[in-house]
Amino acid sequence: MVDLLCFTEKKMNISKGDYLFQEGMTGEGIYIILSGKVQISKITSDGQELTFRICSKNDIIGEAILFSYSPKHLLNAKIIEDGEVALIRKDILENELFKNSSLAFEFMKWMSDQYRKTQTMFRDLILHGKKGALYSTLIRMTNSYGVKKEDGILIDLPITNQVLGNFCGTSRENVNRALSDLKKEGVISYSKGKITIHDLQFLKDAICCEDCPAIYCTIQ
């Protein structure tokens, strides 16, 4: 995408545990992550948290407010790793998108990719249930944070069972049981809070994976 940083109004440091924005807040603009990690999620009416993305360097967040008459954020952006973000004001970016056809084209392509990622995520959740959603999440994590090792693919991101449950719309206890079963079967193993996938094909076969391009099969 065309370098959006030239339209930046300000940069700000972000701290783990804080929120960059929360659902219902009026949005100033979009954010580009320069460093650190931000979790994008929604809290349902019954208090269940559903996570959509974990965003890191060069990712864009807060885009849903663009060209909206009521520019309120629909999701929460919780900071899970200290870092820095850049803010591009809504009115400035909208004006540039009207004037710059190349920028508008690239931004539309990016938005389409984000839509397809979300669509495939919900497809897996609906068609394959909570266990299938967990398997899908593990596959997506290998594409986002996977490091090839001799015995499999290390997901190089410390992640709790609660966070995994939030991606799948299920409880930590259900994730615990499913991961224990996978560990007994030799599909995965744990070390220092990180998961290694030893049999990725097992997970793909379980959800009838369509081998989508990696660009659409991530959690970023």
Side-chain angles (χ1 to χ4, degrees):
M1 186 185 293
V2 177
D3 188 3
L4 294 175
L5 290 176
C6 59
F7 307 123
T8 297
E9 179 179 81
K10 62 180 179 181
K11 297 179 181 178
M12 61 188 80
N13 293 322
I14 54 176
S15 300
K16 181 178 178 179
D18 292 342
Y19 283 87
L20 193 54
F21 55 79
Q22 291 181 277
E23 183 178 356
M25 290 176 56
T26 300
E28 291 182 78
I30 70 166
Y31 297 89
I32 301 175
I33 301 175
L34 304 179
S35 62
K37 289 185 175 61
V38 179
Q39 173 183 289
I40 306 299
S41 62
K42 183 176 182 64
I43 305 296
T44 64
S45 58
D46 61 357
Q48 175 71 49
E49 184 174 16
L50 182 61
T51 301
F52 296 98
R53 300 159 59 197
I54 293 180
C55 303
S56 52
K57 185 176 180 179
N58 295 329
D59 285 333
I60 301 169
I61 56 177
E63 69 281 357
I65 67 168
L66 292 176
F67 300 104
S68 171
Y69 291 109
S70 178
K72 295 186 181 297
H73 289 292
L74 304 176
L75 303 170
N76 301 308
K78 185 177 182 180
I79 299 152
I80 58 175
E81 181 181 288
D82 293 351
E84 184 182 25
V85 298
L87 171 69
I88 303 176
R89 287 183 56 84
K90 177 179 182 291
D91 54 343
I92 292 175
L93 182 55
E94 289 176 348
N95 187 49
E96 290 297 331
L97 290 171
F98 275 123
K99 294 191 303 182
N100 188 332
S101 59
S102 294
L103 175 62
F105 177 71
E106 291 296 325
F107 202 84
M108 286 174 64
K109 283 176 59 181
W110 177 83
M111 289 283 285
S112 176
D113 287 343
Q114 295 305 311
Y115 171 75
R116 292 186 69 174
K117 288 178 186 179
T118 304
Q119 188 179 51
T120 56
M121 174 184 169
F122 279 110
R123 175 200 65 191
D124 292 341
L125 179 58
I126 293 170
L127 293 181
H128 304 296
K130 301 299 175 66
K131 182 180 287 188
L134 173 62
Y135 291 3
S136 171
T137 299
L138 292 174
I139 294 169
R140 291 168 189 275
M141 286 183 169
T142 64
N143 290 329
S144 297
Y145 298 103
V147 178
K148 289 187 177 180
K149 301 291 184 179
E150 290 184 1
D151 61 343
I153 303 175
L154 170 68
I155 298 175
D156 194 19
L157 177 72
I159 193 161
T160 66
N161 289 355
Q162 182 60 65
V163 171
L164 282 173
N166 292 345
F167 271 104
C168 311
T170 191
S171 68
R172 182 185 60 191
E173 291 74 20
N174 287 337
V175 171
N176 289 344
R177 286 192 291 270
L179 291 181
S180 294
D181 290 342
L182 290 175
K183 185 178 179 181
K184 290 175 183 176
E185 295 180 39
V187 178
I188 68 168
S189 63
Y190 305 90
S191 179
K192 299 179 181 178
K194 297 181 181 179
I195 297 175
T196 297
I197 309 295
H198 301 295
D199 190 351
L200 184 62
Q201 194 60 47
F202 175 92
L203 301 177
K204 289 184 174 183
D205 290 344
I207 62 169
C208 302
C209 178
E210 299 174 1
D211 284 320
C212 300
I215 188 175
Y216 301 128
C217 189
T218 69
I219 61 167
Q220 293 175 303

